[in-house]
Amino acid sequence: MRRTLFLSLTAAAVLATSAAAQGNSCAAKGAKLPAAGGWAEYQTDSGTMRIAYLGHETLGERMELSMTRAAGRRGRGGPMVMQMVVPSYPYEMAEVKEVVMQMGEDPPMKMSEQMLGMMRSRMPNASQMSSESCARMTLVGRESITVPAGTFQTTHYRDAEHNADVWVTPSIPFGMVKAVAEGHTVQLAASGTGATTKLTGTPQEMPGMMGPPGGRRPN
């Protein structure tokens, strides 16, 4: 579960940072949410990933990441879904209001406030990442690129410090068409509207992470 949480949150932060590189002054303009129901699906080195905006609520914006991972050496893989309610987009991880996760056919689990606190303290704020990323990014130029979803006219940015490149366009939800960094590639596979949640079942409270008396955890 901890590894799954890390992968999901990392993917969320990467998409927020990459999508923020839109326009000639990305730090000022930032990323924009699509209309409710907008979604984009990506091919990654380890499977597929979809990010969707499900709509505005009293607490904020409900986002959903869903992934399908290929089985690894230990045979683990399959779908996982993470929903977050965030105050804005790009979002501040320190201000995430709610997180619900589901692995495969297991019931969806809602994080306790204790686990949310741990997540907030360990993950960088997406908007801070975006600002820092924008400060490092240089405009390469306008380029036509072909990805599994088709051919797009994009703006290409490069982060030389981290050997990363991102291609963006405002014509698709969340903006990102392709990103390449440290030998990993993310490419747009499809996009559209009318997204609904991939969670199945009623969320349950996730067990706390505190060990038994004495600080020992059962084997």
Side-chain angles (χ1 to χ4, degrees), residues 6 12 28 31 66 68 75 135 137 139 147 149 164 168 187 198 218:
F6 174 78
S66 53
T68 302
M137 282 184 176
L139 176 64
V147 294
V168 298
Q187 299 186 88
K198 290 185 175 292

Side-chain angles (χ1 to χ4, degrees), residues 148-162:
T151 300
F152 297 85
Q153 294 297 321
T154 68
T155 304
H156 178 189
Y157 291 90
R158 176 169 296 150
D159 178 353
E161 181 179 340
H162 291 84

Side-chain angles (χ1 to χ4, degrees), residues 114-156:
Q114 177 192 21
M115 294 186 73
L116 276 174
M118 294 180 64
M119 178 193 75
R120 292 169 184 144
S121 67
R122 294 181 180 181
M123 291 296 294
N125 290 334
S127 65
Q128 290 178 0
M129 290 176 66
S130 296
S131 297
E132 294 169 1
S133 180
C134 284
R136 294 191 304 266
M137 282 184 176
T138 58
L139 176 64
V140 177
R142 296 279 295 171
E143 295 179 6
S144 175
I145 66 169
T146 299
V147 294
T151 300
F152 297 85
Q153 294 297 321
T154 68
T155 304
H156 178 189

Side-chain angles (χ1 to χ4, degrees), residues 45-88:
D45 298 324
S46 58
T48 62
M49 174 175 64
R50 188 190 82 153
I51 181 170
Y53 173 48
L54 300 182
H56 179 76
E57 301 179 2
T58 302
L59 290 178
E61 316 299 338
R62 185 169 291 274
M63 314 288 297
E64 183 172 283
L65 273 167
S66 53
M67 303 181 186
T68 302
R69 297 179 302 153
R73 288 179 296 177
R74 297 183 179 181
R76 296 181 180 180
M80 60 181 177
V81 182
M82 183 180 73
Q83 266 190 22
M84 296 188 297
V85 177
V86 297
S88 60

